[in-house]
């Protein structure tokens, strides 16, 4: 009968062997945290290897994702669909064992980790999801939402600012089912961390409102289980277990040093480690008795079966709630969503007024929110400016069944990563909001939402020099273009209430993330036919078609649509026929079939001008060789918005001039 050390050594052996075979990777953390992982996974984790998507499973997040072989070893040993051949193929092309864990690539991986600190932030979102779902669905003595979120994290995660943001919020939210293990090994890539990381980490977490369990021996199963029991008993606070470990545990010549952190041990040291651990088995070979002791498939099946029995009893008493829970966890939208959302768009087209699109966004939320109990979100201390509170918003901290609004405070990065966690957990469509210029603070979490990808709606207001007097520090010029460069991220910059609602609808229906970009300043409502309204969802369409065919086109997005329409009307009075193309989502437009694109941008019409209050680079391919782009290719200035638009040439006169010049260039060639 294998003992706990034998079981933990299986992790160590697989980890060092896979890294050695790949000649790349991080063996030190898996070897150091193997004992913690063994106690957690064998005696405490609620999961079913045969169904990695079971709704009430515990979530396990490896925030220190460079130690990926720890997780792959655990998944293989406990019975997930991750055969030994995949461990042998560690870090190789198309394997299910990439260098860092990737959501969707490997069964049992709950989130993509690697950028340090984001894993713990995702875990905060998962734990928040569990709490809010429990408040909504647990009724009448039925507990159908009841699981923990477990996190492994290292010194690097704790140094990253995003961990401060997220963990502070976790304490405020009272996430009692969030339990984190700090791998306190004193080593990072550059060596002993005392040269650059001397924080009183336990005191820091106590200040956040966490329960902190200090000085746990990370290689002592008894101490570890006692710490876990203490953590489970605390319902009102998250818990940090401070586990002292030896990085590269078992390596006789390298343990406790940075030499084990990010490089293979080397063939000789691997052999010496085998001898030191008493592990006599060949590489990638797990003895049958150890494999059997790790196998969690039967226990997992029993755990899920017991929950399903509880859920059927719940269904008999609360049929409507059971149906809603299943729908939300599946990610499906309500059955009447398509019909009712389309009706809303038609109504807004007939009733829309001249308002800022940040207000239009709130109008859309008020219209769509009652249809979507899964909608949850908030703002980074800018709720009133971002207009993210709608008529049905309820603060999640009230702990009621209707909780759906989160006050994130000034934590753009943490907010966005937490919302990634909410999306990953399931049961929610999260949105997060700030000024567009501060999307830079959240950038890597936005990128992660696209890399995963998950449905996370990024709401960004005050989108240009139209912000005005706050000046260049607050005026985004490069941000829209920069966001458009991120793969899998849909970026919408709507021009009025109708386009704003279409953008929200598209974001809600999108399985990947979306950025919605809105103005501070008021914009005119645009008339549209039924066909034009339908075409908004294509990302670009003919908003104003010239009588008798166009001599030139003006392309624009967002706040510049009104300018484009005014310029077209001025030119029309001069006998120049100009069509206006609204392009709220240029990338989506580029994905349409060629025939549609040619109907919007006729190849024969070579005189084209694009207008957008931001850097001009992304428009060049749409205006062609004879076109012009009027943009803002430098930083802004502090002044009233009207003065700034005139200063930077975003005027009817300048657009009209550019159209005439483009016409002349096209005629000369």
């Amino acid at each position: 009968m294998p003992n706990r050390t034998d079981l933990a050594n299986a992790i160590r052996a697989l980890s060092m062997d896979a890294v050695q075979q790949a000649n790349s990777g991080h063996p030190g953390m898996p070897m150091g945290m193997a004992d913690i992982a063994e106690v957690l996974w064998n005696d405490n984790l609620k999961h079913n290897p045969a169904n990695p998507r079971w709704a009430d499973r515990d979530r396990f997040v490896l925030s220190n994702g460079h130690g990926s072989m720890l997780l792959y070893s655990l998944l293989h040993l406990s019975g997930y669909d991750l055969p030994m051949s995949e461990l042998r193929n560690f870090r190789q092309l198309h394997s299910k064992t990439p260098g860092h864990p990737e959501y969707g690539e490997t069964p049992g991986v709950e989130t993509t980790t690697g950028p340090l600190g984001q894993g713990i932030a995702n875990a905060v979102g998962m734990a928040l999801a569990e709490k809010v779902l429990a408040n909504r669905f647990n009724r009448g003595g039925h507990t159908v939402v009841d699981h923990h979120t477990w996190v492994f994290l290292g010194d690097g995660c704790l140094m990253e600012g995003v961990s401060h943001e997220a963990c502070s919020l976790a304490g405020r939210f009272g996430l009692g089912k969030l339990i984190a293990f700090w791998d306190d090994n004193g080593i990072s890539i550059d060596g002993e961390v005392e040269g650059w990381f001397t924080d009183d980490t336990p005191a820091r977490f106590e200040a956040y409102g966490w329960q902190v369990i200090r000085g746990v021996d990370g290689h002592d199963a008894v101490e570890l289980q006692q710490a876990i029991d203490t953590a489970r008993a605390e319902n009102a606070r998250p818990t940090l277990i401070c586990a002292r470990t030896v990085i590269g545990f078992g390596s006789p010549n390298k343990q406790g040093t940075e030499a084990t952190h990010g490089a293979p041990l080397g063939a000789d040291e691997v052999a010496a480690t085998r001898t030191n651990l008493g592990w006599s088995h060949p590489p990638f070979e797990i003895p049958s008795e150890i494999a059997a002791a790790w196998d969690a498939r039967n226990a997992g099946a029993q755990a899920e079966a017991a929950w399903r029995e509880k859920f059927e009893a719940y269904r008999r008493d609360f049929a409507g709630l059971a149906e809603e829970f299943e729908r939300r966890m599946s990610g499906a939208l309500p059955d009447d969503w398509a019909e009712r959302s389309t009706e809303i768009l038609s109504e807004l087209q007939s009733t829309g007024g001249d308002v800022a699109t940040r207000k239009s966004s709130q109008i859309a939320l008020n219209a769509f929110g009652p249809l979507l109990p899964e909608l949850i979100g908030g703002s980074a201390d800018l709720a009133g400016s971002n207009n993210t509170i709608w008529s049905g918003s309820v603060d999640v901290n009230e702990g009621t069944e209707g909780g759906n609004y989160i006050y994130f405070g000034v934590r753009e990065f943490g907010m966005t990563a937490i919302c990634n966690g909410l999306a990953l957990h399931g049961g929610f469509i999260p949105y997060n909001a700030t000024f567009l210029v501060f999307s830079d603070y959240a950038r890597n979490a936005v990128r992660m939402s696209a890399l995963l990808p998950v449905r996370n709606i990024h709401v960004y207001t005050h989108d240009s020099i139209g912000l005005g007097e706050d000046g260049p520090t607050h005026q985004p010029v490069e941000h829209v273009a920069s966001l458009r460069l991120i793969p899998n991220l849909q970026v919408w910059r709507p021009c009025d209430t109708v386009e704003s609602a279409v953008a929200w609808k598209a974001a809600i229906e999108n399985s990947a993330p979306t950025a919605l970009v809105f103005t501070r300043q008021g914009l005119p409502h645009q008339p549209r036919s039924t066909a034009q309204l339908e075409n908004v969802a294509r990302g670009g369409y003919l908003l104003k078609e010239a009588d008798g065919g166009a001599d030139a086109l003006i392309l624009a997005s967002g706040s510049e649509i009104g300018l484009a329409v005014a310029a077209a009307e001025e030119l029309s009075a001069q006998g120049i026929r100009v069509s206006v193309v609204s392009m709220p989502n240029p990338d989506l437009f580029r994905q349409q079939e060629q025939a549609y694109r040619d109907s919007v941008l006729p190849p024969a019409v070579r005189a084209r001008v694009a207008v957008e209050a931001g850097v001009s680079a992304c428009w060049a391919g749409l205006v062609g060789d004879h076109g012009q782009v009027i943009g803002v290719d430098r930083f802004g200035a502090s002044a009233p918005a009207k003065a700034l638009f005139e200063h930077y040439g975003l005027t009817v006169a300048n657009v009209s001039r550019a159209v005439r010049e483009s016409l002349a260039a096209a005629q000369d060639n």
Side-chain angles (χ1 to χ4, degrees), residues 507-641:
I508 289 163
E509 295 172 354
N510 188 12
S511 60
T514 304
L516 305 177
V517 181
F518 300 118
T519 67
R520 177 194 187 189
Q521 70 273 26
L523 303 179
H525 176 70
Q526 299 296 333
R528 294 176 186 84
S529 67
T530 300
Q532 287 174 313
L533 178 57
E534 291 175 353
N535 285 336
V536 176
R538 291 176 173 257
Y541 64 103
L542 273 172
L543 174 65
K544 180 178 175 62
E545 191 167 3
D547 293 335
D551 300 316
L553 302 175
I554 303 176
L555 293 68
S557 77
S559 54
E560 287 64 68
I561 285 294
L563 173 61
V565 170
E569 292 172 348
E570 178 178 276
L571 290 163
S572 177
Q574 300 170 8
I576 300 172
R577 299 172 299 178
V578 179
S579 292
V580 176
V581 176
S582 179
M583 199 75 71
N585 188 337
D587 289 333
L588 182 58
F589 173 77
R590 291 185 178 97
Q591 296 170 23
Q592 305 303 308
E593 67 273 17
Q594 187 67 49
Y596 177 77
R597 285 182 281 145
D598 287 347
S599 72
V600 176
L601 303 177
V605 183
R606 299 185 296 164
R608 302 178 184 182
V609 174
V611 191
E612 188 173 60
V615 296
S616 58
C618 73
W619 292 95
L622 293 171
V623 299
D625 295 338
H626 308 293
Q628 292 190 28
V629 181
I630 298 174
V632 182
D633 290 310
R634 49 186 168 139
F635 293 118
S638 180

Side-chain angles (χ1 to χ4, degrees), residues 33 36 199 216 368 378 390 392 576 591 645:
M33 297 195 78
I36 305 173
D199 299 11
V216 176
F368 294 144
W390 59 283
I576 300 172
Q591 296 170 23
F645 276 87

Side-chain angles (χ1 to χ4, degrees), residues 356-369:
T357 52
R358 60 171 174 158
K359 180 61 178 178
S360 298
S361 172
Q362 189 178 51
I363 292 170
L365 279 169
N366 277 318
F368 294 144

Side-chain angles (χ1 to χ4, degrees), residues 423-434:
L424 286 160
H425 180 279
F428 293 101
I429 299 175
Y431 64 92
N432 59 91
T434 186

Side-chain angles (χ1 to χ4, degrees), residues 227-407:
I228 291 171
D229 292 341
T230 302
R232 283 181 174 276
E234 174 58 63
N235 295 317
R237 296 178 293 167
T239 297
L240 178 70
I241 298 172
C242 306
R244 292 177 284 101
T245 65
V246 178
I247 191 170
F249 184 94
S251 171
N253 301 301
K254 294 185 177 183
Q255 68 176 14
T257 73
E258 66 272 20
T260 68
H261 187 285
L265 297 180
D268 291 345
E269 189 65 12
V270 167
T273 303
R274 275 184 153 74
T275 301
N276 191 44
L277 294 174
W279 187 267
S280 59
H281 318 290
F284 301 104
E285 183 175 306
I286 303 297
S288 57
E289 64 272 18
I290 291 178
W294 267 107
D295 193 340
R297 287 174 291 185
N298 287 337
Q302 292 173 14
E304 183 174 352
W307 177 82
R308 292 195 177 279
E309 185 176 338
K310 288 170 58 178
F311 192 82
E312 290 309 310
Y314 175 76
R315 190 193 306 274
R316 290 191 289 272
D317 289 349
F318 301 98
L321 284 172
E323 183 179 357
E324 180 192 337
F325 180 84
E326 291 179 319
R327 179 189 67 78
R328 287 173 59 170
M329 293 305 296
S330 75
L333 294 171
D335 291 340
D336 61 350
W337 165 256
E339 179 182 359
R340 296 185 67 181
S341 60
T342 301
E343 290 173 353
I344 288 168
L345 296 182
S346 296
E347 182 179 347
L348 290 174
Q349 182 60 57
S350 54
T351 61
D354 297 352
V355 297
T357 52
R358 60 171 174 158
K359 180 61 178 178
S360 298
S361 172
Q362 189 178 51
I363 292 170
L365 279 169
N366 277 318
F368 294 144
L371 309 181
L372 298 168
E374 58 264 52
L375 195 64
I376 188 170
S379 171
D381 201 46
L382 290 168
S385 293
N386 298 146
N387 290 140
T388 48
I389 295 177
W390 59 283
S391 58
S393 293
V394 177
D395 186 352
V396 296
N397 277 321
E398 292 183 8
T400 64
E401 65 182 69
N404 63 2
Y405 194 82
I406 307 167
Y407 291 91

